[in-house]
Amino acid sequence: MANKIDVKELLEAGVHFGHMTRKWDPNMAPYIYMERNGIHIINLYKTAAKIEEANEALKKIAASGRKVLFVATKKQAKDIVAEKAAACNMPYITERWPGGMLTNFVTIRKAVKKMASIDRMKKDGTFMTLSKKERLQVDRLRAKLEKNLGSIADMSRLPAALFVVDVKAEHIAIKEAQKLNIPVFAMVDTNSDPRPIDFVIPANDDASKSIDKVLSLVSAALIEGLSDRKVEKDELPAKEVEATEAPTTETEA
């Protein structure tokens, strides 16, 4: 079971601060506690419950060996997402969302393979047989691919879920996930529509402290799921050995 969420910690991280009341999305009404000085305040008890619900589902995904793709291209979220996703060995997109990342995954995989083939060229010496101009072009291509796709280089199949910070900023990613019935987990602020999201986490998605707090809890659940998977895999050979060594119950003829 994932750790119980401490509402006080969420409060200290400023997770409760929503947007100005005039910018709100009425569909977020169930998650709003009150209005203070023209700003909506998020109900942190609901946030805590939603994080726990999301974490249970994320833990199961990690325990099954599947991947969760993190998406956050806004400045204050990029570094946090890269750090937290890498810590739980999950892929992430923090640069511009590559159109067709999910719906045209075969093409994206080709680009990732191109990156790998350039690396092979550098290892086997083929790269040095190219002209100086060609080497420069290949280096530029490799740098561009690394910037946009480096963090998903090991993602050999479509992710089991998306985790998004700021549903407005990442609407294209969400639309692609919906087309493929890939569940979406997201931090949803008071100015956003929560309806397209499968697992809504009502939270301040602008402050780095708030993003860091929610992502820390989410990545901890994924690490827990990965740990459960490892324990299960380690126990499996032992069970197989026990099964082969178990005495037979057959009677001699």
Side-chain angles (χ1 to χ4, degrees), residues 101-115:
M101 167 75 214
L102 302 176
T103 51
N104 197 7
F105 190 64
V106 175
T107 303
I108 296 293
R109 281 304 301 160
K110 279 180 186 168
V112 170
K113 282 177 183 171
K114 178 73 182 169
M115 200 159 64

Side-chain angles (χ1 to χ4, degrees), residues 5-253:
I5 309 303
D6 188 339
V7 171
K8 194 183 169 200
E9 286 182 12
L10 298 178
L11 184 72
E12 285 168 357
V15 176
H16 59 300
F17 290 120
H19 279 261
M20 294 173 82
T21 51
R22 62 185 168 81
K23 289 186 175 181
W24 83 311
D25 188 303
N27 293 297
M28 280 299 284
Y31 305 110
I32 293 170
Y33 174 62
M34 66 180 289
E35 177 224 316
R36 189 190 294 155
N37 301 326
I39 290 170
H40 275 132
I41 303 298
I42 295 162
N43 186 331
L44 289 181
Y45 288 97
K46 290 195 175 182
T47 301
K50 286 292 186 181
I51 294 173
E52 284 176 10
E53 186 188 315
N55 281 358
E56 280 304 309
L58 289 166
K59 203 174 117 179
K60 282 175 189 168
I61 291 170
S64 71
R66 292 172 298 162
K67 296 286 185 186
V68 176
L69 176 62
F70 283 79
V71 187
T73 57
K74 65 198 287 182
K75 190 183 174 187
Q76 59 269 53
K78 285 163 80 159
D79 291 346
I80 298 165
V81 166
E83 180 200 331
K84 304 295 180 189
C88 53
N89 197 27
M90 293 294 167
Y92 57 91
I93 295 286
T94 53
E95 295 302 322
R96 187 182 63 83
W97 175 262
M101 167 75 214
L102 302 176
T103 51
N104 197 7
F105 190 64
V106 175
T107 303
I108 296 293
R109 281 304 301 160
K110 279 180 186 168
V112 170
K113 282 177 183 171
K114 178 73 182 169
M115 200 159 64
S117 75
I118 293 170
D119 291 343
R120 276 196 303 274
M121 281 170 63
K122 290 192 172 187
K123 274 184 184 172
D124 65 21
T126 316
F127 181 72
M128 294 313 292
T129 64
L130 303 173
S131 69
K132 191 178 177 182
K133 188 183 176 183
E134 285 170 330
R135 288 203 302 271
L136 190 63
Q137 286 171 338
V138 169
D139 272 336
R140 278 182 186 153
L141 174 63
R142 175 67 178 80
K144 189 182 175 186
L145 290 169
E146 176 64 44
K147 186 180 179 186
N148 294 321
L149 305 171
S151 59
I152 60 153
D154 298 327
M155 199 170 82
S156 55
R157 58 177 173 156
L158 282 167
L162 244 62
F163 190 100
V164 171
V165 177
D166 193 332
V167 298
K168 278 196 162 192
E170 316 305 344
H171 64 280
I172 298 169
I174 292 165
K175 277 200 175 81
E176 286 193 32
Q178 284 177 310
K179 275 184 190 171
L180 299 170
N181 294 318
I182 295 171
V184 179
F185 295 71
M187 286 179 70
V188 187
D189 214 327
T190 58
N191 67 331
S192 303
D193 185 356
R195 290 175 299 175
I197 309 305
D198 301 281
F199 291 85
V200 174
I201 297 175
N204 174 354
D205 66 9
D206 289 308
S208 53
K209 216 174 164 188
S210 170
I211 296 165
D212 189 278
K213 184 68 208 169
V214 173
L215 266 289
S216 294
L217 295 165
V218 164
S219 58
L222 286 165
I223 289 166
E224 200 179 326
L226 291 169
S227 174
D228 289 351
R229 178 173 170 77
K230 189 178 183 300
V231 168
E232 221 170 86
K233 281 175 109 176
D234 290 346
E235 283 176 355
L236 201 63
K239 283 177 185 171
E240 284 169 0
V241 168
E242 279 173 28
T244 55
E245 289 178 354
T248 56
T249 54
E250 287 178 36
T251 52
E252 285 186 15

